[in-house]
Structures are given as C-alpha cells and as structure tokens.
Amino acid sequence: MSTYQRRRQIGIMKVLGANLRQIRNLFIVESALLGVIGGACGILLSYWVVWGINGIVTRFSKGPPGSDPEILFISLWILPVGLFFAVLTGVLSGIYPAIKASRTDALTAIKRE
C-alpha cells in the first residue's frame, strides 16, 4: 500500500536522479524503523501486562502467612532477541514493496490522475 500511495514521490525521486538501489534502501530502512518502533511498543506493553498480572496475583493470593506469591518476570536477554525479530519481520515484509517501488516507471508515476 505504501508503494501505491507514494507512487508520485517515487517518480519524482527517479526524475531527480535516484537510482533503483537508493529507492529500495529507502523502503527497507523505513520498514526496519517501523519494526523497531513496533518491537519497542511490544516490549513496553509486555512489561505493563506482567506488572498488572503481578499486582493482581499479589493482591489476591491466599497462601500461608509469610509466604510470597509467585511473580512473573521478563528476562533481560529476551529483549534484544524480541527486538531483533521485530526488525527482521519489518525488513522481510518491506522487501517486496521496496522492489516494486524501485521498478516504478518515473513518467507514469508523475502524471496527474
């Protein structure tokens, strides 16, 4: 959808001298940044969910006096792994639109519809 909506912009970039590689890289970097933002939001959301679950468990746990309830935690090593997979997903989903964008004909993209 991004390629279709930005067809005119891609045509202008081609007329101004951008080559296929530059246009492809533009879309791939954009997809990677969206992956980073999505991964960071996912990490933040997971921390909020775990915090909420731990709050509910500690409030309503009925164990023997003096015993602590089991609480959930997120290991620190999983954060870069999750972020890596979010970026990988963004890049892999952006490859096809990037190739399609780089093959857009400049003159037909610039024409008014």
Side-chain angles (χ1 to χ4, degrees), residues 26-80:
L26 174 79
F27 277 84
I28 290 174
V29 167
E30 185 178 296
S31 299
L33 287 174
L34 286 172
V36 167
I37 292 169
C41 289
I43 288 170
L44 187 63
L45 181 66
S46 67
Y47 268 107
W48 284 343
V49 167
V50 167
W51 177 74
I53 290 172
N54 285 337
I56 291 170
V57 167
T58 55
R59 183 177 194 133
F60 295 110
S61 66
K62 295 188 192 268
S67 68
D68 291 329
E70 291 286 327
I71 58 170
L72 300 174
F73 69 95
I74 299 174
S75 299
L76 290 179
W77 68 269
I78 202 73
L79 299 178

Side-chain angles (χ1 to χ4, degrees), residues 66-110:
S67 68
D68 291 329
E70 291 286 327
I71 58 170
L72 300 174
F73 69 95
I74 299 174
S75 299
L76 290 179
W77 68 269
I78 202 73
L79 299 178
V81 172
L83 202 57
F84 169 76
F85 279 109
V87 172
L88 183 67
T89 302
V91 169
L92 290 178
S93 65
I95 287 176
Y96 177 72
I99 292 171
K100 190 173 177 181
S102 66
R103 293 183 179 164
T104 302
D105 183 38
L107 295 177
T108 56
I110 292 176

